[in-house]
């Protein structure tokens, strides 16, 4: 209701009408989910379905190498001299984000058949790698760190498997650099993390560390000084703060925390962070209990 009010005051009835329409669309779905998805077993099955969907969507990227761009997907772009295809999830920037969520879920979920887990993980990794998206590379690294921290094995095995994984990654990476079909993809991965691959390719992107600084500080500073100011930071702009969401025009800084402040102001952001912290504490508590009871769910 607060966001509707801010949209009306700062933007006008057009965006308020859009907001009301979204509430009428989202609320029934939320109520149905809340009443129907009421056991951990149902959540477990839905998570498996969610992961499978992401794995299938990831494979729409390599599929287009053979079929060409799928007409009803978002338009492809170019990066490093390669065609950067869209996926079933949306535009060219969506795969690295969605794939990160699916990857960590697939890594931590329990599967009766290990080969199914491997197939799903490889499918998601393939899509994230072919997305030519730095966020995809960053999420692969983050998922690996999170998995290494939470996987339920003793420390000596963690060290062994981590060492084995690093050696395997170097071996696979070196092998991929030897083939023309995969050379540019591997070069993009290495260049993104600041390593010179030795391959002469077009570099029309900045390394991850430069982009992290840009999105955390430089771009946020420009938006704050030129568009937002202290008034906008305190109250937000309503729905125009959701720039880039579902094709909507408005402020878009490649920084979701700043965008939340742009939507509802600093208090809206604080409320979100408190809710996030509350859920995180509950999940950590649940994971400890789950490990103690050796409970697969």
């Amino acid at each position: 209701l607060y966001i509707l009010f801010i949209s009306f005051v700062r933007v006008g009835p057009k965006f308020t009408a859009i907001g009301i329409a979204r509430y009428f669309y989202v609320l029934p779905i939320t109520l149905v989910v809340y009443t129907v998805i009421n056991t951990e077993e149902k959540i477990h099955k839905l998570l498996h379905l969610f992961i499978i969907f992401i794995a299938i969507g990831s494979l729409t990227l390599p599929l287009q190498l053979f079929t060409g761009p799928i007409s009803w997907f978002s338009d492809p772009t170019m990066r490093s001299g390669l065609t950067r295809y869209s996926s079933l999830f949306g535009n060219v920037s969506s795969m690295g984000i969605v794939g990160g969520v699916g990857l960590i879920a697939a890594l931590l979920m329990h599967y009766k058949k290990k080969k199914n887990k491997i197939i799903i993980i490889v499918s998601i990794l393939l899509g994230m790698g072919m997305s030519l998206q730095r966020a995809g590379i960053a999420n692969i690294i983050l998922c690996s760190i999170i998995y290494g921290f939470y996987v339920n094995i003793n420390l000596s095995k963690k060290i062994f498997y981590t060492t084995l994984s690093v050696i395997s990654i170097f071996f696979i990476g070196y092998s991929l650099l030897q083939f023309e079909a995969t050379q540019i993809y591997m070069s993009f991965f290495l260049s993104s993390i600041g390593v010179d691959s030795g391959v002469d390719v077009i570099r029309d992107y900045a390394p991850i560390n430069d982009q992290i600084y840009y999105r955390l500080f430089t771009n946020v500073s420009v938006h704050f000084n030129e568009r937002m100011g202290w008034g906008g930071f305190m109250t937000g702009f309503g729905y125009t703060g959701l720039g880039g969401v579902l094709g909507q025009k408005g402020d878009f800084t490649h920084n979701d925390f700043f965008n939340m402040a742009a939507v509802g102001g600093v208090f809206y952001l604080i409320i979100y962070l408190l809710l996030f912290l509350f859920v995180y504490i509950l999940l950590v508590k649940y994971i400890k209990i789950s490990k103690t009871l050796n409970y697969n769910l």
Side-chain angles (χ1 to χ4, degrees), residues 41 65 107 115 117 146 181 218 239 243 263 271 287 294-295:
E41 188 175 358
L65 290 176
L107 284 168
K115 67 176 183 179
K117 182 171 185 173
I146 294 169
T218 308
Y239 284 104
V263 171
I271 290 170
I287 289 170
N294 196 26
Y295 186 42

Side-chain angles (χ1 to χ4, degrees), residues 6 10 28 40 45-46 60 65 69 114 132 145 147 153 156 161 165 218 224 290 296:
I6 291 296
R10 304 209 55 152
E40 289 191 39
K45 289 179 179 178
L46 275 177
T60 59
L65 290 176
K114 295 293 183 182
L132 292 174
I145 293 170
Y147 176 68
I153 57 176
S156 60
Y161 286 124
S165 299
T218 308
F224 183 86
S290 181
N296 287 331

Side-chain angles (χ1 to χ4, degrees), residues 62-267:
L63 173 67
Q64 291 173 89
L65 290 176
F66 303 98
T67 65
I70 296 175
S71 60
W72 50 279
F73 281 9
S74 298
D75 294 333
T77 61
M78 296 294 294
R79 174 167 279 178
S80 297
L82 288 174
T83 302
R84 192 181 177 197
Y85 295 106
S86 298
S87 68
L88 186 63
F89 305 117
N91 62 25
V92 294
S93 298
S94 59
M95 183 65 238
I97 307 300
V98 178
V101 179
L103 180 60
I104 191 59
L107 284 168
L108 292 173
M109 286 287 280
H110 174 73
Y111 286 80
K112 292 181 179 178
K113 295 182 178 179
K114 295 293 183 182
K115 67 176 183 179
N116 292 343
K117 182 171 185 173
I118 293 171
I119 291 171
I120 287 172
I121 289 172
V122 170
S123 298
I124 296 174
L125 284 171
L126 187 61
M128 292 176 74
M130 288 191 63
S131 71
L132 292 174
Q133 189 182 359
R134 286 159 301 193
I137 304 302
N139 275 332
I140 290 173
I141 295 170
L142 284 172
C143 288
S144 302
I145 293 170
I146 294 169
Y147 176 68
F149 183 77
Y150 280 113
V151 65
N152 193 19
I153 57 176
N154 59 50
L155 183 60
S156 60
K157 284 187 177 180
K158 282 186 180 182
I159 295 171
F160 172 75
Y161 286 124
T162 300
T163 305
L164 184 64
S165 299
V166 170
I167 293 171
S168 300
I169 289 169
F170 274 107
F171 177 75
I172 293 169
Y174 178 78
S175 301
L176 293 175
L177 282 172
Q178 309 310 308
F179 298 99
E180 188 175 353
T182 55
Q183 201 174 59
I184 298 180
Y185 288 106
M186 195 60 214
S187 176
F188 171 77
F189 179 91
L190 293 172
S191 300
S192 293
I193 59 176
V195 177
D196 185 8
S197 65
V199 179
D200 186 20
V201 296
I202 301 171
R203 287 187 174 84
D204 49 3
Y205 52 87
I208 285 178
N209 56 325
D210 292 344
Q211 277 295 306
I212 289 174
Y213 185 85
Y214 173 76
R215 297 181 186 193
L216 285 179
F217 303 107
T218 308
N219 202 22
V220 168
S221 176
V222 169
H223 276 263
F224 183 86
N225 293 324
E226 296 183 2
R227 299 178 180 86
M228 202 170 186
W230 285 106
F233 186 66
M234 296 303 294
T235 63
F237 297 122
Y239 284 104
T240 55
L242 287 170
V245 177
L246 299 177
Q248 183 169 281
K249 294 180 180 178
D251 289 315
F252 183 57
T253 61
H254 281 96
N255 185 314
D256 284 343
F257 292 112
F258 186 84
N259 268 77
M260 292 195 74
V263 171
V266 64
F267 296 110

